[in-house]
Amino acid sequence: MSIERFEAQAERYLTELAGALRDNVYQPSPVRRVHIPKGNGKTRPLGIATVKDRVVQTALKLVLEPIFEKEFLPVSFGFRPGRSCKEALRVVDQALKDGYTWVVDADLQSYFDTIPKQPLLALVGEQVSDGRVLALVRSFLDQDVVEGLKRWTPTAGTAQGSALSPLLSNLYLHGLDELMSEAGVCYARFADDFVALCRTRHEAEAVLTTIQAWVEEHGLHLHPGKTRVGNCLEKGQGFEFLGYRFEAGKRWVRRKAGRPCGTRSGKRPAAREAAARKPSSWSSIPSSRVGLATSNTPIARRFGMWTALSDAGCGHSCVSGPNARALLGQAATTAAGLTPSSLRTGFSPYTKPMRWRADPDEETTDWRAVCGRTARTVRRAGGTSVLPDPYLGRTAAGHWDLPDSL
């Protein structure tokens, strides 16, 4: 069932779910296993539940979350209300500045798929006494998994991607949070990703030994190739945490494995290569016309970034190619203080006329025009320019013939 179909008859389906839960006859459907890439040719398995099961899981989470939030410690930041990865990064960054440069970089191997069910249910039972709620949690942990023509019941773990799994994963690692806090270790955890920071190598090795003992006792495993101790002030011994690389007293956004830095998908490098082969008429736009349009992005509009158009079309819903010159005509009209009541198809309407600036460094927010992917941020050269009457050069086809002096 799709979300649209559920929404179309939401009252009916919600009534059915409520009745099944009251009568203790509700049974979750199998989850669909899908794999998403995570770099180095590996994939991450996700469990996609049905719409009805997601509704029930979310309702169950709303009931359980306030109970366990009272117990969770400040060192846990992942998937908690009012907390974010930025706060965890600030804690780590401040600890490094305070001299905690010896880092225990540990990685739990397939954590979501290896959480033991019985110990996890026991932790839930310590705070929840309602048998129906416990039975509902158990039914979600025992959901079958379907992948292609295969169907099986996992012996451990909670489906990564479900609405309930982040809360249960935080609950199971709560004991490690308590252990690190009681030992006075500078420690931050976001879901199954955590780091411990120490002042000396001896202290860091002792902390790693403690973590290994706790992990083995609770049926989990540390990744042997990704768990280590190092001094992040030395080159080559840094660590990665929540998308950042900390090394040699610096931090930067880490380069995604198997993907060139600065690209968002596998199609971007090919698109950039094609754009590089295609000649651009950026140099053909007279310098006197540079700055007549700006990027159609909130940041560009806020800071008044001056841009110039490229005639190489980007394929997006912006003004490019032959329409660039027409936009320059509209820009000239607005710069003269007159705004047309209607624009050609594809143009963004100007909300207010722009005052022509004699000082190129003067800030303005009067402009919004083209796609930020094709526009380049530049400064307008020269001083005040006298613009012609915008309605004199208009042709029958609706184009604007700009004088060469513009």
Side-chain angles (χ1 to χ4, degrees), residues 125 232 294 302:
C232 65
T294 60
R302 180 178 300 174

PDB file of all heavy atoms in Angstrom, residues 125 232 294 302:
ATOM      1  N   GLY A 125      11.949  -4.097  29.310  1.00  0.00           N
ATOM      2  CA  GLY A 125      11.111  -4.531  30.426  1.00  0.00           C
ATOM      3  C   GLY A 125      11.478  -3.906  31.752  1.00  0.00           C
ATOM      4  O   GLY A 125      10.651  -3.887  32.677  1.00  0.00           O
ATOM      5  N   CYS A 232      45.867  12.253  17.286  1.00  0.00           N
ATOM      6  CA  CYS A 232      45.357  12.949  16.107  1.00  0.00           C
ATOM      7  C   CYS A 232      46.151  14.206  15.776  1.00  0.00           C
ATOM      8  O   CYS A 232      45.884  14.842  14.744  1.00  0.00           O
ATOM      9  CB  CYS A 232      43.878  13.297  16.288  1.00  0.00           C
ATOM     10  SG  CYS A 232      43.564  14.471  17.601  1.00  0.00           S
ATOM     11  N   THR A 294      21.606  38.184 -11.121  1.00  0.00           N
ATOM     12  CA  THR A 294      22.224  37.523  -9.988  1.00  0.00           C
ATOM     13  C   THR A 294      21.690  36.133  -9.832  1.00  0.00           C
ATOM     14  O   THR A 294      20.680  35.766 -10.409  1.00  0.00           O
ATOM     15  CB  THR A 294      21.962  38.307  -8.674  1.00  0.00           C
ATOM     16  OG1 THR A 294      20.563  38.358  -8.477  1.00  0.00           O
ATOM     17  CG2 THR A 294      22.532  39.705  -8.738  1.00  0.00           C
ATOM     18  N   ARG A 302      20.557  37.462  -0.562  1.00  0.00           N
ATOM     19  CA  ARG A 302      20.784  38.126   0.717  1.00  0.00           C
ATOM     20  C   ARG A 302      22.005  39.034   0.664  1.00  0.00           C
ATOM     21  O   ARG A 302      21.988  40.148   1.163  1.00  0.00           O
ATOM     22  CB  ARG A 302      20.952  37.080   1.818  1.00  0.00           C
ATOM     23  CG  ARG A 302      21.185  37.696   3.193  1.00  0.00           C
ATOM     24  CD  ARG A 302      21.301  36.614   4.247  1.00  0.00           C
ATOM     25  NE  ARG A 302      20.086  35.812   4.318  1.00  0.00           N
ATOM     26  CZ  ARG A 302      19.968  34.733   5.073  1.00  0.00           C
ATOM     27  NH1 ARG A 302      20.995  34.319   5.798  1.00  0.00           N
ATOM     28  NH2 ARG A 302      18.847  34.046   5.084  1.00  0.00           N
TER      29      ARG A 302
END
